[in-house]
Amino acid sequence: MNAPIRALGNDLCYIGASDRRTALFENMYPVAQGMSYNSYLLLDEKTALFDTVDRAVCPEFLANLDCALDGRALDYVIVQHMEPDHCAALQEVLVRYPHAQVICTAGAARMITQFFGVDVSSRGRTVREGETLCTGTHTLTFIMAPMVHWPEVMMTWDDTARTLFSADAFGTFGTLDGSLFADERGGSAQWLPEARRYYTNIVGKYGPQVQAVLKKAAGLNIARICPLHGPIWQKELAWLMNKYGQWSAYTPEDKAVLIVCGSVYGGTEAAASHLAAHLAAGGVTDIVLRDVSKTHGSELLAQAFRCSHIVLASITYNAGIFTPMKNFLLDLQAHALRSRSYSLIENGSWAPLCGKQMDEMLEQMADMRKVGDTVTLRSALNPDSRKALLALGDALLSDLK
Ligand code: FEO
C-alpha cells in the first residue's frame, strides 16, 4: 500500500484522514489539535465502505479508497450519517463506483437527494432496526441511532469481528497522528478532555437518545468501537461506556466547582477569585475559574457537564445579564444540562439586576438546585459583600461535603 492507510486485522482498513488546517469544526468549535474524519473499508467476499469524509480531506480519502480496493470492485457503501463531515465525498464515490449499492436508512436516502439531487432508490436498499447485510464471512446488523446526532443516523454491528461502527458516538476532536487506537496514544487519560468536549457540545442535547442506544450496545459483546472521529477504542471500553452513561444522564463526573465570571473592570473577577481561594482553603481541590469573555463556550459547556457545582459571577449590563454570560446560560439551556447545584454573584454599580435574571434562566432548566444566597456587589467588594461572599463559600463547602 502506498497511501497512509492501515489494516485493522485481516479484512478491515482505515481509509480516513486528518485535517490540521480547519480552525473551527462546524464553523463553531475550535479544533487546535485538528480533526479526523474516519472511514473504514471491509474487504470481505464483498467490499463495503463505511461512510466517507469531510470535503477538507476528500482527495486523501479517495486516494486511500482506490489504494485499499487495489483493483477490486466496491460493492456496498454503508451511509451511517449524512452530515457533510461524513458524506462530502459520497457523490464522488457514487460516480466513481457506479455499481456500488447504497445501504442506509430511509432518512439518509432522503438526505442524499436533498444534498446531491440524486435518487439512490434504484441502487441499494434502505434498512431498519435489526436488518442485516452479509458480505461473505461477516454479517452486519444495523442499529438505529436517531438523534445521535441527526435523525437519520444508524450504527453497524459486525458480529464476526465484534466491532461496533458507532457513527458520531464515542468520537473526539483531535487528529490521528499515525496511531489509530486510543491505547496507542495515552488511552483515556489522553483523550478524555476532547472526548468530553466533543460529546457535550455535539451530542449533549440528546441524552435520552444516547441512553437508548447505550441500552442496545449493552447487549453486544464489543471488542472494538470504530467511531467517525478520533481514535478507535479496543481497550477501556467499560470506562468509555461509563462516561457516556454519565454524560447522557447529565450526572456530574466529579465533585467539583466551576466558577464562571463575567467582569469588565475587575470587581466581579476579584469576588470570584476570593470565593475560589475560600473554597480551596476549605479543602476543595477541584476548582476551575474561567473568564466567560475569553473562554470558548465549548470549553465552558464541557466543564459544566463535568462539575457538580457551578458558580456564575456576572456584572449587570444594559439592565440585564452580561452578554457573554447570557450566551453561556443559553448554551447550557440549549444542551439540556440539568441536575446541577448553582450559586450566583451579581454586580451593578447603580442597579444590580442580573442575579434575578440568571436565577430565572437557571430555574427553567430541570432539577437545578441553588446553594446559598445571591451575593450582590456594588462595583467592588466591601466589608458587607465580603461577609456575604464568605457565607456563600461556607454554604458551598458544606454542600460539597
Ligand atoms: Fe461527525 Fe454529526 O457529524
Side-chain angles (χ1 to χ4, degrees):
M1 291 175 178
N2 58 9
I5 58 183
R6 269 185 66 178
L8 302 168
N10 294 335
D11 52 10
L12 186 67
C13 285
Y14 177 89
I15 59 168
S18 286
D19 173 17
R20 298 175 181 81
R21 293 192 176 192
T22 300
L24 296 175
F25 177 70
E26 291 190 359
N27 209 15
M28 180 150 55
Y29 303 106
V31 279
Q33 296 165 56
M35 195 73 192
S36 78
Y37 302 97
N38 300 343
S39 173
Y40 307 91
L41 181 67
L42 182 62
L43 294 159
D44 199 4
E45 291 167 23
K46 297 284 188 182
T47 60
L49 171 68
F50 292 88
D51 297 291
T52 72
V53 293
D54 187 80
R55 66 180 177 179
V57 294
C58 275
E60 298 96 307
F61 160 78
L62 290 168
N64 288 351
L65 175 58
D66 179 62
C67 180
L69 282 169
D70 196 21
R72 291 189 62 184
L74 179 61
D75 296 303
Y76 298 111
V77 181
I78 297 169
V79 179
Q80 300 185 113
H81 185 12
M82 268 302 293
E83 193 165 5
D85 57 328
H86 306 296
C87 76
L90 178 59
Q91 193 172 19
E92 181 64 23
V93 167
L94 297 180
V95 170
R96 289 188 182 205
Y97 303 94
H99 301 296
Q101 299 283 295
V102 177
I103 309 295
C104 65
T105 61
R110 280 193 295 275
M111 286 187 183
I112 291 172
T113 304
Q114 287 173 203
F115 276 108
F116 304 127
V118 172
D119 180 359
V120 292
S121 56
S122 61
R123 59 176 295 184
R125 68 175 169 114
T126 57
V127 291
R128 295 183 181 177
E129 179 75 34
E131 289 189 23
T132 59
L133 173 72
C134 182
T135 58
T137 60
H138 294 256
T139 298
L140 307 174
T141 304
F142 301 107
I143 299 169
M144 301 301 109
M147 300 319 299
V148 187
H149 121 256
W150 278 16
E152 86 297 355
V153 171
M154 68 176 185
M155 300 181 184
T156 307
W157 169 243
D158 178 349
D159 196 50
T160 311
R162 292 170 50 213
T163 295
L164 180 66
F165 296 91
S166 62
D168 272 343
F170 307 110
T172 80
F173 293 125
T175 54
L176 299 177
D177 303 337
S179 53
L180 285 185
F181 295 96
D183 56 280
E184 287 179 316
R185 209 171 102 200
S188 56
Q190 167 84 14
W191 290 99
L192 174 59
E194 287 296 75
R196 179 192 295 117
R197 190 168 70 95
Y198 175 83
Y199 173 85
T200 54
N201 284 277
I202 306 298
V203 195
K205 176 181 172 60
Y206 303 110
Q209 291 88 345
V210 172
Q211 295 247 307
V213 171
L214 287 176
K215 267 190 200 155
K216 297 182 198 177
L220 305 173
N221 184 18
I222 300 173
R224 185 166 60 182
I225 295 176
C226 291
L228 290 178
H229 301 288
I232 296 164
W233 294 84
Q234 60 183 356
K235 294 184 179 170
E236 301 183 281
L237 297 183
W239 172 89
L240 187 61
M241 291 289 178
N242 184 51
K243 283 294 174 201
Y244 263 64
Q246 288 179 311
W247 295 334
S248 59
Y250 305 97
T251 303
E253 288 171 73
D254 300 310
K255 200 172 261 197
V257 184
L258 169 64
I259 305 174
V260 181
C261 73
S263 186
V264 172
Y265 295 109
T268 309
E269 183 178 2
S273 294
H274 270 66
L275 180 67
H278 188 67
L279 295 176
V284 182
T285 56
D286 194 342
I287 303 166
V288 176
L289 198 169
R290 294 287 181 268
D291 186 320
V292 75
S293 302
K294 290 177 60 182
T295 312
H296 194 269
S298 64
E299 299 281 357
L300 295 175
L301 186 78
Q303 288 295 335
F305 267 72
R306 183 182 76 81
C307 297
S308 58
H309 290 67
I310 300 171
V311 180
L312 303 181
S314 178
I315 60 159
T316 300
Y317 202 79
N318 290 329
I321 304 167
F322 187 43
T323 308
M325 184 66 81
K326 187 168 183 178
N327 288 341
F328 173 52
L329 280 161
L330 289 170
D331 211 24
L332 294 182
Q333 288 183 336
H335 287 84
L337 187 74
R338 55 180 294 164
S339 310
R340 292 297 182 276
S341 303
Y342 76 91
S343 304
L344 298 177
I345 300 169
E346 64 173 353
N347 197 350
S349 292
W350 63 94
L353 296 169
C354 65
K356 183 167 178 293
Q357 295 176 39
M358 289 193 289
D359 253 331
E360 286 167 359
M361 289 187 75
L362 288 155
E363 282 165 6
Q364 290 168 18
M365 298 161 63
D367 195 22
M368 302 296 274
R369 186 175 64 93
K370 189 168 183 180
V371 177
D373 297 325
T374 299
V375 175
T376 300
L377 313 182
R378 286 190 175 267
S379 307
L381 277 172
N382 64 21
D384 284 344
S385 55
R386 192 184 308 276
K387 200 169 150 191
L389 188 71
L390 295 180
L392 175 61
D394 290 340
L396 280 164
L397 286 171
S398 168
D399 202 68
L400 282 156
K401 274 183 183 141

